[in-house]
Amino acid sequence: MLTNYAALRQKIEPPNSNNVYFFMAFLYLIAIAWVYVVLMMSLVESSVIAGIMTFIFYCIIPLGLVLYILTSPARKRQRKLEEDAQRKLNSSNPSKSD
């Protein structure tokens, strides 16, 4: 059964496909929708201060924390790629010491 699933997955996903971009786009789409919902909640609050506090405590703090946690693998991957590129550049052009 497992081999059939693997064969099916190869048919569905093209080789060398990178689902990270799809995940990030979906993540930001959900974040934008959440900002819209909380903005609408903030606009119907009884006072301006309550609206501001609603926006801060329902949107900015939790969304910032969730986005920071969920995008940390992408940041780590990007940092590793930059370090590898720098290491490759340094190994191909050795510095001359006088």
Side-chain angles (χ1 to χ4, degrees):
M1 182 69 179
L2 185 61
T3 57
N4 292 338
Y5 175 73
L8 179 64
R9 187 171 179 176
Q10 286 178 351
K11 289 180 184 177
I12 293 172
E13 292 182 5
N16 299 327
S17 68
N18 195 352
N19 291 331
V20 174
Y21 297 113
F22 175 75
F23 173 73
M24 296 299 287
F26 187 70
L27 180 72
Y28 289 128
L29 178 69
I30 298 298
I32 290 168
W34 181 249
V35 169
Y36 176 76
V37 168
V38 175
L39 183 65
M40 293 298 118
M41 287 172 49
S42 300
L43 290 176
V44 297
E45 287 289 341
S46 58
S47 69
V48 174
I49 298 298
I52 292 171
M53 297 305 283
T54 298
F55 193 74
I56 289 172
F57 287 112
Y58 280 97
C59 183
I60 294 176
I61 294 173
L63 192 59
L65 183 64
V66 167
L67 288 178
Y68 180 77
I69 291 170
L70 291 179
T71 58
S72 63
R75 286 193 314 272
K76 192 181 298 183
R77 190 172 27 256
Q78 182 67 31
R79 188 177 328 124
K80 186 179 182 312
L81 288 173
E82 289 173 357
E83 289 173 356
D84 289 344
Q86 186 65 32
R87 193 174 303 118
K88 187 176 180 181
L89 182 66
N90 288 341
S91 65
S92 65
N93 296 329
S95 61
K96 296 178 183 179
S97 58
D98 289 71

